[in-house]
């Protein structure tokens, strides 16, 4: 029996707690033993109007072989309790596997165990995690990251992907498929698959070239060169490129490409147009070109994206 602990921190999110508790719950078909704990025994205030009553505290870590750190509210503005941080470090030294779901990555990063490692969290918090812990290599484009003894995942649903990945890693594909069937979940999504953020185009800061960005979005099906964008903004190409990168973090052509991919996403979701037609409408030319950029930016194909998100 592999021993699994789920840590409930103040403000814990219900799904983030419930997913590992459900996947690794004690049952004849599952070779796992599960305990839910807190920083101390007793009542823990949760998120979304819920609270939890846990029977055990951090002493559970000495028993556990895998410890889940579910997400919690306001991770960028709060520090996890020092006792929790030290207990996670001690568990890691003993060889325990530590797995963070969503914003639980902030508590795991506070231990220093993610320094120099690739990690992820919910897309809404990736930049905050990178700012707060600059030594962590934050990857905002994946569902989960398995670095061996430490693992991180994106939002709540990708926490399920991470749990199934661990079952698959521990006991093989058959066991993971059995759990997926029980939960009526997709049995496999690659950790390298992109998080589906609302827009891949970065938000501009302030009004710098806002008019030109708006114009470009209305003319994606036309040739949009650096010179054309600079002419619209009435500055030199060199000035436009420099200030655009300062404002968005992307070169103008990178921004245009992502805008075209976003436009393609909307057409895949809301229309019956074929891939070739969509590629032409958004200025990517051919279906092959669209597929290449879709795979590189989103980690999936247009067909799979439509299958997942079309109404």
């Amino acid at each position: 029996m592999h021993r699994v602990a789920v840590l409930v921190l103040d403000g814990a999110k219900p799904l983030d707690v419930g997913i590992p508790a459900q996947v690794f719950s004690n049952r004849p078909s599952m070779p796992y033993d599960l305990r839910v704990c807190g920083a101390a025994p007793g009542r823990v205030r949760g998120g979304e109007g819920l609270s939890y009553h846990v029977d055990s505290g951090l002493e559970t870590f000495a028993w556990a072989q895998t410890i889940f750190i579910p997400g919690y509210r306001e991770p960028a503005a709060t520090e996890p309790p020092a006792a929790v941080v030290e207990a996670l470090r001690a568990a890691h030294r003993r060889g325990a596997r530590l797995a963070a779901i969503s914003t639980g990555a902030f508590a795991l990063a506070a231990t220093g165990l993610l320094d120099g490692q690739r990690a992820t969290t919910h897309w809404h918090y990736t930049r905050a995690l990178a700012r707060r812990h600059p030594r962590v290599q934050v990857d905002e484009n994946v569902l989960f990251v398995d670095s061996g003894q430490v693992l991180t995942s994106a939002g709540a649903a990708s926490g399920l992907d991470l749990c199934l990945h661990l079952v698959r890693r521990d006991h093989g594909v058959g066991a993971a498929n059995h759990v997926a069937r029980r939960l009526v979940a997709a049995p496999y999504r690659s950790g390298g698959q992109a998080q589906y953020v609302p827009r891949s185009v970065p938000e501009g800061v302030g009004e710098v070239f806002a008019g030109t960005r708006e114009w470009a979005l209305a003319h994606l099906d036309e040739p949009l060169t650096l010179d054309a964008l600079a002419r619209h903004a009435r500055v030199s190409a060199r000035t436009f490129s420099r200030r655009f990168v300062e404002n968005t973090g992307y070169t103008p052509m990178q921004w245009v490409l992502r805008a075209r991919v976003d436009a393609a996403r909307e057409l895949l979701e809301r229309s019956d147009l074929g891939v070739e037609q969509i590629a032409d409408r958004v200025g990517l030319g051919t279906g092959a070109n669209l597929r290449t950029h879709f795979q590189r930016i989103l980690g999936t194909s247009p067909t799979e994206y439509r299958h997942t998100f079309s109404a």
Side-chain angles (χ1 to χ4, degrees):
M1 298 290 282
H2 187 97
R3 301 183 298 276
V4 177
V6 180
L7 172 65
V8 181
L9 293 173
D10 190 53
K13 297 182 177 181
L15 271 179
D16 294 8
V17 173
I19 285 171
Q22 182 78 6
V23 170
F24 298 101
S25 61
N26 308 110
R27 61 185 65 232
S29 62
M30 288 293 287
Y32 292 96
D33 193 6
L34 175 80
R35 295 181 187 176
V36 179
C37 67
R43 183 177 179 273
V44 182
R45 180 183 63 88
E48 285 68 56
L50 297 180
S51 62
Y52 309 85
H53 186 90
V54 294
D55 293 329
S56 61
L58 296 177
E59 69 279 1
T60 306
F61 287 6
W63 165 87
Q65 295 167 288
T66 294
I67 300 168
F68 278 93
I69 308 103
Y72 51 94
R73 297 183 65 82
E74 301 181 1
T78 58
E79 287 285 353
V84 169
V85 172
E86 183 48 46
L88 288 170
R89 288 176 181 147
H92 182 268
R93 288 194 296 270
R94 288 193 298 270
R97 187 167 59 185
L98 308 181
I101 295 178
S102 187
T103 55
F106 282 79
L108 187 53
T111 66
L113 297 172
L114 293 180
D115 288 357
Q117 303 266 13
R118 255 178 86 240
T120 194
T121 188
H122 190 286
W123 61 264
H124 186 75
Y125 289 97
T126 50
R127 292 187 181 182
L129 180 63
R131 285 194 301 269
R132 195 172 186 88
H133 299 282
R135 297 183 64 186
V136 179
Q137 299 170 16
V138 180
D139 189 341
E140 64 181 2
N141 294 315
V142 294
L143 294 178
F144 61 84
V145 176
D146 181 348
S147 295
Q149 200 181 340
V150 290
L151 304 95
T152 52
S153 69
S158 57
L160 177 54
D161 296 312
L162 176 61
C163 289
L164 292 174
H165 168 74
L166 286 177
V167 174
R168 192 180 305 111
R169 191 173 118 176
D170 292 343
H171 299 290
V173 172
N177 288 347
H178 173 77
V179 176
R181 283 194 299 273
R182 174 165 57 84
L183 299 177
V184 197
Y188 181 75
R189 288 201 299 171
S190 165
Q193 185 170 316
Q195 295 186 39
Y196 291 115
V197 298
R199 305 286 294 184
S200 61
V201 172
E203 295 286 342
V205 179
E207 295 301 312
V208 178
F209 301 138
T212 298
R213 292 198 304 269
E214 197 71 27
W215 173 80
L217 291 174
H219 295 82
L220 291 175
D221 59 334
E222 302 174 11
L224 290 176
T225 63
L226 175 59
D227 288 337
L229 294 168
R231 277 196 305 272
H232 185 275
R234 298 182 180 179
V235 295
S236 70
R238 183 175 179 180
T239 297
F240 182 83
S241 184
R242 175 177 57 79
R243 295 183 64 193
F244 198 94
V245 171
E246 291 172 353
N247 183 236
T248 68
Y250 288 85
T251 68
M253 292 300 95
Q254 287 172 333
W255 186 91
V256 168
L257 174 60
R258 286 173 173 265
R260 284 173 166 154
V261 169
D262 274 346
R265 289 166 66 179
E266 292 185 9
L267 289 172
L268 286 165
E269 293 172 19
R270 302 176 185 178
S271 79
D272 295 324
L273 294 173
V275 171
E276 295 289 341
Q277 293 171 294
I278 290 174
D280 182 64
R281 285 202 181 190
V282 301
L284 287 173
T286 66
N289 206 24
L290 174 59
R291 292 183 187 95
T292 296
H293 293 305
F294 230 77
Q295 186 65 46
R296 185 172 63 81
I297 292 174
L298 297 176
T300 190
S301 68
T303 301
E304 275 299 310
Y305 184 89
R306 170 171 271 167
H307 177 72
T308 303
F309 289 100
S310 67

